[in-house]
């Protein structure tokens, strides 16, 4: 990644707002990226970082979380890397619509779907030694998204 | 980042004014206040989000929990003051299907 920024944070929720501020500021360096797309990226990265903090909390780990930001030509790439115990992204059961009976009993299930909607590309690499979420937002959005 | 919460009352409604960003760090404060209000019998709640420019999945979940808690106690849960960004997030997640938006400057009798 050229024009790259790497941020390492303690695995604590108090650092989420810092991550969002850095990502939004860095993304705004490309003046062709609209405010709404910056908001989309800010939320997607915050979700990925939240999941990383949760992964470390589940292990009782004090390891730091790494966020890499890159502005490369027509795309912004962000990687959020944790050292949690990993998970199988294919085995995630999406929560049903909120109007479904009993769905209001469950407060979770928004994070990964939001990332998938907000980012133009998302890839989740997960193994026993940790997870890396790759998010891409196009500076000039493609005419049509596949999904 | 702190979340500032205050409330006011109009008719049967409790208006919960939220200032700041709602995420995993600050969300528990909001959940606690909603639980407190409902436990005190204030189950008609409007969450005023006009001074909130960021809500993550944790915050959305807390609002879902608010809808559930209010309805379970015979009340209603509404939101107000959504920015365009929040409107988009609510629409993308389907939250707008269960959490109706009201105008605080309108007659509260129209909020039910």
């Amino acid at each position: 990644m050229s024009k790259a920024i790497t941020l390492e944070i303690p695995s604590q929720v108090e650092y989420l707002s810092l991550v969002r501020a850095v990502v939004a500021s860095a993304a705004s360096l490309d003046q062709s990226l609209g405010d709404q797309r910056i908001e989309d990226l800010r939320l997607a990265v915050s979700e990925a970082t939240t999941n990383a903090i949760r992964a470390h909390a589940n292990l009782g780990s004090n390891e730091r979380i790494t966020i890499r930001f890159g502005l490369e030509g027509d795309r912004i790439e962000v990687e959020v890397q944790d050292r949690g115990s990993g998970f199988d992204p294919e085995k995630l059961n999406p929560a049903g619509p909120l109007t479904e009976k009993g769905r209001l009993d469950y407060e979770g299930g928004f994070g990964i779907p939001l990332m998938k909607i907000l980012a133009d590309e998302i890839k989740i690499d997960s193994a026993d030694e940790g997870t890396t979420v790759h998010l891409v937002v196009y500076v000039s959005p493609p005419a049509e998204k596949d999904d | 980042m702190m979340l500032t919460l205050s409330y006011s009352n109009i008719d049967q409604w409790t208006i919960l004014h939220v200032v700041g960003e709602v995420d995993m760090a600050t969300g528990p404060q909001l959940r606690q206040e909603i639980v407190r209000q409902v436990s005190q019998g204030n189950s008609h709640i409007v969450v005023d989000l006009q001074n909130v420019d960021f809500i993550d999945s944790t915050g959305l979940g807390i609002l879902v929990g608010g809808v559930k808690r209010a309805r379970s106690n015979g009340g209603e849960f509404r939101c107000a003051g959504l920015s365009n960004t929040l409107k988009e997030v609510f629409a993308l997640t389907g939250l707008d299907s269960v959490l109706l938006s009201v105008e605080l400057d309108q007659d509260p009798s129209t909020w039910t």
Side-chain angles (χ1 to χ4, degrees):
Chain A
M1 292 179 184
S2 63
K3 298 182 186 173
I5 296 168
T6 300
L7 190 61
E8 267 199 6
I9 61 162
S11 186
Q12 295 171 10
V13 293
E14 291 77 9
Y15 287 84
L16 284 168
S17 58
L18 173 69
V19 171
R20 290 195 293 271
V22 170
V23 166
S25 296
S28 66
L29 292 175
D30 188 312
Q31 296 182 348
S32 58
L33 193 65
D35 288 346
Q36 189 56 54
R37 296 300 286 151
I38 293 174
E39 288 302 314
D40 291 348
L41 181 67
R42 191 164 77 114
L43 179 50
V45 173
S46 190
E47 294 297 341
T49 310
T50 297
N51 286 347
I53 292 171
R54 281 205 180 102
H56 284 197
N58 288 341
L59 283 183
S61 166
N62 290 322
E63 293 229 45
R64 295 163 79 87
I65 289 163
T66 306
I67 297 108
R68 297 186 190 86
F69 176 98
L71 187 55
E72 176 84 33
D74 63 348
R75 54 203 273 136
I76 290 174
E77 298 183 13
V78 181
E79 288 180 0
V80 178
Q81 182 179 26
D82 69 52
R83 291 163 187 82
S85 55
F87 67 101
D88 184 349
E90 302 297 322
K91 288 188 177 166
L92 287 177
N93 290 322
L98 287 165
T99 48
E100 197 172 275
K101 186 174 168 49
R103 174 63 181 91
L104 293 180
D105 296 337
Y106 176 54
E107 294 186 3
F110 292 112
I112 288 179
L114 262 178
M115 282 191 276
K116 287 181 175 174
I117 293 169
L118 296 171
D120 292 313
E121 294 177 22
I122 177 171
K123 184 158 75 85
I124 301 174
D125 291 326
S126 195
D128 292 347
E129 61 273 14
T131 299
T132 301
V133 176
H134 309 261
L135 299 163
V136 176
V137 168
Y138 303 134
V139 172
S140 301
E144 239 176 72
K145 251 182 110 168
D146 290 340
D147 53 358
Chain B
M1 180 71 68
M2 289 293 292
L3 200 64
T4 304
L5 301 173
S6 60
Y7 66 91
S8 57
N9 296 101
I10 305 175
D11 295 345
Q12 65 179 333
W13 294 90
T14 297
I15 319 296
L16 197 52
H17 306 281
V18 186
V19 180
E21 297 183 340
V22 185
D23 63 11
M24 193 163 74
T26 62
Q29 268 181 272
L30 177 58
R31 181 189 286 110
Q32 192 175 25
E33 181 60 21
I34 292 168
V35 169
R36 191 180 74 86
Q37 291 289 347
V38 172
S39 70
Q40 290 182 346
N42 303 319
S43 57
H44 285 76
I45 296 174
V46 179
V47 180
D48 172 14
L49 298 171
Q50 65 176 316
N51 291 308
V52 172
D53 73 342
F54 181 86
I55 292 184
D56 74 351
S57 59
T58 308
L60 299 177
I62 289 165
L63 296 177
V64 167
V67 173
K68 169 74 177 178
R69 286 187 176 89
R71 288 184 183 173
S72 299
N73 286 274
E76 295 287 355
F77 197 84
R78 301 285 187 255
C79 64
L82 299 185
S83 66
N84 287 335
T85 297
L86 292 192
K87 281 179 186 168
E88 185 202 15
V89 171
F90 281 30
L92 289 173
T93 55
L95 187 58
D96 57 355
S97 64
V98 293
L99 178 56
L100 303 184
S101 183
V102 300
E103 302 291 334
L104 288 177
D105 57 1
Q106 288 188 353
D107 185 341
S109 66
T110 65
W111 296 352
T112 50

